[in-house]
Amino acid sequence: MLPEAADAAGFPDDRLRLVFTCCHPALAAEARIALTLRFVCGLATPEVARALLVTETTMQARLTRAKKKIVATGIPYRVPSPDELPERLASVLDVVHLVYTSGYTAAAGNALTRPELAERGIALARMLRQLLPDEGEVSGLLALLLLSDARRAARVDASGALVLLEDQDRGLWNQEQIAEGQALVEAALRRPAAGAARSFGRYGLMAAIAALHDEAPSWEATDWPQILALYDLLLERWPSPVVALNRAVALSFTAGPRVALAAVDELADVPALASYPYLAATRADLLRRLGETDAAAEAYQEALLLTANDVEAAFLAARLREVSSS
């Protein structure tokens, strides 16, 4: 339910007001998200392209077409009224999530993260929940960001090198963020997502998966069967190739890397993943675990060609040397 006071003065921050204003339903969903990320949230065009899994050329053309449509059709630039917020909410949620993920792992550069972007995403999610406290997916989004961000201090070692989730020092995880995220997950799963047939939405499910990772006292204690079951529900709710890839990782810890490799190979021809480095990196890791070192080396080389983040590239190069010397 939307609060009665959700008018222009009811927005807790000008940035959130601008996000809602730019997510105009007259534009295609991809266009409104791209425009908002680029011109309101300040992401560069290559970052927006990476976030939306398209080439930079495609993204530039999409932005140009969207700007021309705004001019040609006279789409008004004004703050939406309270009854206009629901039709914009899905795009706003996606914008805030993509701002955070662009900071969670930087598209390029010599640092794994861009903390200022991650913190901006969390701040926007908090404002969004202040504006719409009874929306389950808003609670789910904030939970997801907090549960993910809780691991920030453990994601790199003292030298700045990447540390995988399985090797992280869980004593460095932010327990206050985890506790807040867990409470929000419960709120998200209690309230129906707008337009959803089930009592949970996409962000609530992703937050529940993150909560299971954060609740596990060790990597070995991770509840992979439940995580896989949640990915199955998420894939049904949101048939995304990235979700399918993440599901394959969970599958590898329940049915084994061979079964997971078959699932990953089914995604090889999906256009959205053509330049997605994590597809090749996931395939490389599964092959490494299977002892197929030559094929793993080829996959690591492919992942390296697609990776612009120096920290991730250093990790992949180390794994490439490892399998090449086996």
Side-chain angles (χ1 to χ4, degrees), residues 105-260:
T105 301
N110 57 10
L112 180 64
T113 65
R114 289 186 58 188
E116 76 284 0
L117 272 183
E119 289 163 8
R120 188 183 308 166
I122 292 173
L124 285 169
R126 288 196 182 281
M127 295 172 202
L128 189 55
R129 189 163 189 269
Q130 181 181 340
L131 179 67
L132 303 169
D134 296 324
E135 284 286 343
E137 278 290 77
V138 173
S139 296
L141 174 64
L142 179 55
L144 173 64
L145 304 196
L146 290 172
L147 291 164
S148 302
D149 198 64
R151 311 180 205 123
R152 188 198 307 184
R155 293 182 64 215
V156 293
D157 64 17
S159 68
L162 177 67
V163 180
L164 294 180
L165 180 60
E166 61 193 88
D167 299 319
Q168 287 177 15
D169 178 357
R170 297 179 182 228
L172 297 175
W173 290 1
N174 187 317
Q175 295 302 317
E176 290 184 6
Q177 284 184 310
I178 291 173
E180 184 181 1
Q182 289 170 327
L184 287 165
V185 168
E186 294 178 6
L189 298 183
R190 280 197 306 267
R191 298 187 179 109
R198 298 179 180 273
S199 61
F200 37 72
R202 170 158 58 105
Y203 288 109
L205 286 169
M206 288 194 286
I209 292 168
L212 285 172
H213 281 297
D214 287 8
E215 291 167 4
S218 66
W219 174 257
E220 293 74 20
T222 304
D223 190 346
W224 288 110
Q226 190 171 350
I227 288 174
L228 181 62
L230 286 169
Y231 270 121
D232 287 337
L233 288 174
L234 180 58
L235 198 57
E236 178 183 313
R237 179 82 175 86
W238 184 39
S240 156
V242 173
V243 173
L245 180 61
N246 290 333
R247 178 190 176 278
V249 174
L251 185 65
S252 76
F253 294 107
T254 54
R258 180 69 65 190
V259 175

Side-chain angles (χ1 to χ4, degrees), residues 273-274 276-277 279-281 283 297-307:
L273 299 182
Y276 192 58
L279 176 63
R283 188 170 186 277
E298 290 183 11
Y300 278 123
Q301 288 170 340
E302 180 184 353
L304 269 168
L305 289 173
L306 298 172
T307 299

Side-chain angles (χ1 to χ4, degrees), residues 5 10 14 31 37 45 53 96 100 111 135 199 219 221 233 273-274 286 292 295:
D14 283 343
L37 288 171
T45 300
L53 300 182
V96 175
Y100 175 79
E135 284 286 343
S199 61
W219 174 257
L233 288 174
L273 299 182
L286 293 171
E292 299 181 18

